[in-house]
Each structure stands twice: as structure tokens, then as C-alpha cells.
Amino acid sequence: MDTTTSPAAPESGYVHGYSGREARRLGDQADALAALLHDGTSFPAGSRVLEVGCGVGAQTVHLVSRSPGARLTSVDVSAASLDQARARVAETHPGASVDFVRADLHDLPFADETFDHLFVCFVLEHLPDPRAALAGLRRVLRPGGTLTVIEGDHGSAFLHPDSAHARAAIGHLVTLQAAAGGDSLIGRRLRPLLVAAGYDGVRAAPRTVYADGSRPALARAFTLDTFTAMVEAVRGDAVAAGLSTPADFDRGVADLRRAAAEDGTFHYAFFKAIAVNQAP
């Protein structure tokens, strides 16, 4: 099928949508990868931490768990997502003190140099100009304060048994996200983005997920419930955009599921970067 035409962007502007299923997927992903992605991330008691784009609070609960004494503020543009984030934190960490604020990350309602640390996870991939967003965030971060960024890179996904249909389905997700103004291949360029945005001491490295028959729980939690579920969720948009036939897309999803079997394997790389806000 011809894929040279530009598909229409999803109506929400957020390629994954805001369904209850997506909220559960985000929670499953955060829980399954907490040790991998949050390793090395903890903030001192009393430090002022801003979580940018907290969504439904999937990462917020892990920030609270690892930095119980920090003064955490979590912002998101979606009021419905913030309601879910509040409920998630209240359920998992009763009594935890988190300030939830509805705000656009491009126009944060905080004074200059308010925070000691910023945490940005799975946000930049959805922005049309991530470099400008990163540069703008420096305003609310004190000189010498740190920024932690985590993003995925769908180009790092490979599986056994290999499948052209599965690779095509992943590619359709990449295309749809690009049409919505995002970049699901952004992980590989975190360091250049941070340097261009004016940060110092930038350190970036991959955090690799590998699941096979010896890790059935990870294969279920990540290969199936996180990654395959994410790809499967854009089936309607991919078919409507003319990127795939229903049968071809379903074959790709089936082959992704096959990679989670006893004799299958699945690999994916996230990228984590830490940077310092330079003095004016």
C-alpha cells in the first residue's frame, strides 16, 4: 500500500489518546520499568522539584517513592489527567504532599529560578519544537540546578522472530506521531537537543529493555502490555490514513505478541539524559 502521502494527525494531537486503556498502559509501563528508568534519580529532602507533563501520574508515584522528602510540583495541561494523577498518588502514597498544577509547559506560572530540579519523562516526543521547550524550561530552574529527561526511540525496537509486518506497524506509529507534530525517534538526539538548548554537563545513555523466555513477567508487562498495546491502539488511525490494511496491521500486532512467547525476544532502548542549567 502506498505510504507516501501524509496522514492526518490524530484529532487529539496526542497520538496515544486519553482513554482509560491508555492510562492503564502508562501505569503498567511505569511500574514495569521503574527500576530501569528511575535508577540514579532521587532528589534531596527539601529540594524543589518540578515534574513537567505528569499526565496521569504514572511516573509521579515513583518520584514520590524515591524522593519522599522532596517538595514535588507536578504540572500537566490536561485537567482530567491531573485528576487521575491526584487519585493515583493518594492511593499509593497516602499523605504524600504533591502540588498538582494545570499549566502549559511553554507558559509555566512560576517565578524565575523557582526549582532546584526538573524531571521530564515521555513529554518531548509529543512537542513540535522540543529544543525551544527545553530552553524555555531553564527560566524556572535555578543556575546549577539539574534537568533529567527520559525518552524512548521506536527505531530501537527489534524482535525475534523477525517480522516485516510488525516493523511496518511500528513504522505507522512513528509516521502518525510525526503527523501530530511529534517525534517517536527522539531518544537518540537527547544530548544534541540539550546542548542546543543551553544546558551544561549533559550526560546521556541508553537504558535497554530486553525480554525473552527467561523473563516472562517482563515480556508480559513490557512487550505485551506496554509496547504492543501502544502500537495496537493506533490501528484505527493507521487504517484511516491509508497506511495499512486492517489485515496487515493485525498481522503486525500478532507478530509483536509472538515475540513475547517462550521462544521469542524483544529489545527496546530508552534514553536518559541529565544536564545542568548554566549560570546566566
Side-chain angles (χ1 to χ4, degrees):
M1 179 168 290
D2 183 12
T3 61
T4 59
T5 57
S6 298
E11 291 183 6
S12 68
Y14 173 66
V15 71
H16 305 309
Y18 292 92
S19 67
R21 178 182 181 183
E22 171 62 9
R24 289 190 297 274
R25 187 192 70 80
L26 291 171
D28 291 341
Q29 173 180 256
D31 294 344
L33 302 174
L36 178 75
L37 298 184
H38 287 267
D39 180 49
T41 298
S42 63
F43 304 109
S47 60
R48 302 160 299 172
V49 181
L50 176 66
E51 180 189 13
V52 179
C54 68
V56 298
Q59 305 297 334
T60 312
V61 295
H62 296 289
L63 292 174
V64 171
S65 177
R66 290 173 176 266
S67 302
R71 297 158 53 191
L72 180 62
T73 300
S74 297
V75 302
D76 200 88
V77 72
S78 167
S81 293
L82 286 171
D83 287 342
Q84 294 182 67
R86 288 189 191 94
R88 190 184 296 267
V89 170
E91 179 182 0
T92 58
H93 295 83
S97 179
V98 180
D99 291 329
F100 290 97
V101 178
R102 186 181 183 186
D104 187 321
L105 65 85
H106 298 97
D107 187 24
L108 293 172
F110 307 113
D112 294 358
E113 303 180 12
T114 296
F115 298 98
D116 302 301
H117 308 282
L118 305 184
F119 181 83
V120 185
C121 186
F122 305 148
V123 173
L124 300 181
E125 63 174 301
H126 303 293
L127 305 181
D129 192 346
R131 186 209 61 78
L134 288 168
L137 290 175
R138 291 181 53 210
R139 181 187 67 80
V140 300
L141 182 61
R142 67 167 175 81
T146 68
L147 168 72
T148 299
V149 182
I150 301 172
E151 292 290 346
D153 190 315
H154 294 353
S156 70
F158 55 82
L159 63 154
H160 171 78
D162 191 21
S163 162
H165 286 89
R167 285 186 272 111
I170 296 168
H172 300 330
L173 173 56
V174 173
T175 299
L176 289 167
Q177 191 152 348
D183 179 9
S184 55
L185 307 177
I186 198 169
R188 68 189 70 180
R189 60 189 184 107
L190 279 190
R191 186 181 183 281
L193 280 171
L194 287 163
V195 171
Y199 290 86
D200 286 336
V202 181
R203 294 179 288 117
R207 299 287 176 102
T208 299
V209 183
Y210 170 74
D212 61 20
S214 69
R215 303 172 176 88
L218 183 60
R220 181 177 62 255
F222 184 71
T223 309
L224 290 180
D225 295 344
T226 297
F227 191 84
T228 302
M230 175 178 62
V231 173
E232 188 174 14
V234 301
R235 177 186 188 273
D237 288 330
V239 172
L243 297 174
S244 176
T245 66
D248 283 347
F249 198 93
D250 291 344
R251 170 69 183 276
V253 170
D255 288 350
L256 280 170
R257 292 183 174 279
R258 172 71 178 80
E262 169 64 27
D263 60 346
T265 69
F266 187 77
H267 170 281
Y268 189 90
F270 295 93
F271 291 81
K272 183 173 183 176
I274 300 172
V276 178
N277 189 22
Q278 63 183 9

